[in-house]
Amino acid sequence: MPRFFTEDFREGNSFAVISGEDAVHISKSLRMREGDPITLCNKKSTDFFGTVQSIDGKQVVVEITGSCPSASEPTVQVSLFQALPKGDKMDWIVQKSVELGVFQICPVITKRCISRPEKTAWERKRERFQKISYEAAKQCGRGIVPEIGELLTLEEAFQRMSCCDLPILFYEQSSRPFAPILNCKWKSAAVLVGSEGGFEPEEAEQAVQAGITDASLGSRILRCETAPLAVLSALMFQSGNL
């Protein structure tokens, strides 16, 4: 059954409206008609079932007949703090992280980051990343659209990570295996992954002083676009969400 995001609900959620590109897709590409079944999500982990009441090419009105929690949302919240990589690697990281169930993605500037966009350029990038997140969330049936956060300094990232049950810095020089860390009970995790070249030793030391656990991903050196996906896969598997 076709599934779309919308927050435009009317009359006590008895009706909802889809507009913009999704409305065009429904009418022109899917060629849906009045009476066809459709599923909507309010981006807050709730799915609504309904039937198409009217289509005019610019908007689609749906009559809501029922609802239930989005079955695709993980039972844990994993926030990815990603040191900003160069080129288009972040596009891939955002898309695949959303598919794997990430809760939010917070880009971070570290000493070894080559990409250091100015404010205006960053806002354009952030807008593109958010669109990638939206499209990935829609494609894989997520109940939310993970937010792409503002660009953070390392110190700001440490502060936000410390609020989670399981804050981890993945550092290539760490001797601490990842697997044993997962034996504790947790509901929220914050993972920090480096850009090309990883982290400076003093950055890793700052993380430890801030209460962030350092960990290794093994003897193989993973690319900066591979490491976060490996981490998210492990966390989702360990928590029963994969």
Side-chain angles (χ1 to χ4, degrees), residues 15 33-36 51-55 60-63:
F15 290 91
R33 296 292 182 263
E34 294 178 9
D36 285 349
T51 56
V52 175
Q53 186 186 61
S54 65
I55 300 178
V60 179
V61 178
V62 177
E63 182 178 6

Side-chain angles (χ1 to χ4, degrees), residues 124-156:
R124 289 197 298 268
K125 286 178 178 288
R126 184 181 179 184
E127 184 177 344
R128 187 178 79 249
F129 297 151
Q130 193 63 61
K131 185 174 182 179
I132 292 172
S133 176
Y134 176 85
E135 293 297 336
K138 185 170 67 172
Q139 180 274 323
C140 69
R142 291 290 301 270
I144 66 169
V145 178
E147 181 182 357
I148 310 302
E150 61 190 79
L151 196 57
L152 303 175
T153 65
L154 195 58
E155 291 72 21
E156 290 171 335

Side-chain angles (χ1 to χ4, degrees), residues 214-239:
D214 66 277
S216 168
L217 284 173
S219 57
R220 296 178 302 280
I221 303 298
L222 303 183
R223 293 178 182 271
C224 64
E225 65 268 35
T226 305
L229 307 185
V231 170
L232 285 168
S233 297
L235 289 169
M236 291 300 165
F237 179 80
Q238 187 272 346
S239 61

Side-chain angles (χ1 to χ4, degrees), residues 96-111:
K96 301 309 174 187
S97 295
V98 170
E99 290 179 24
L100 285 168
V102 76
F103 175 68
Q104 63 178 340
I105 300 174
C106 303
V108 184
I109 290 293
T110 64
K111 289 184 177 179

Side-chain angles (χ1 to χ4, degrees), residues 6 65 120 130 143 174 178 215 218:
T6 183
T65 57
T120 302
Q130 193 63 61
S174 175
F178 181 25

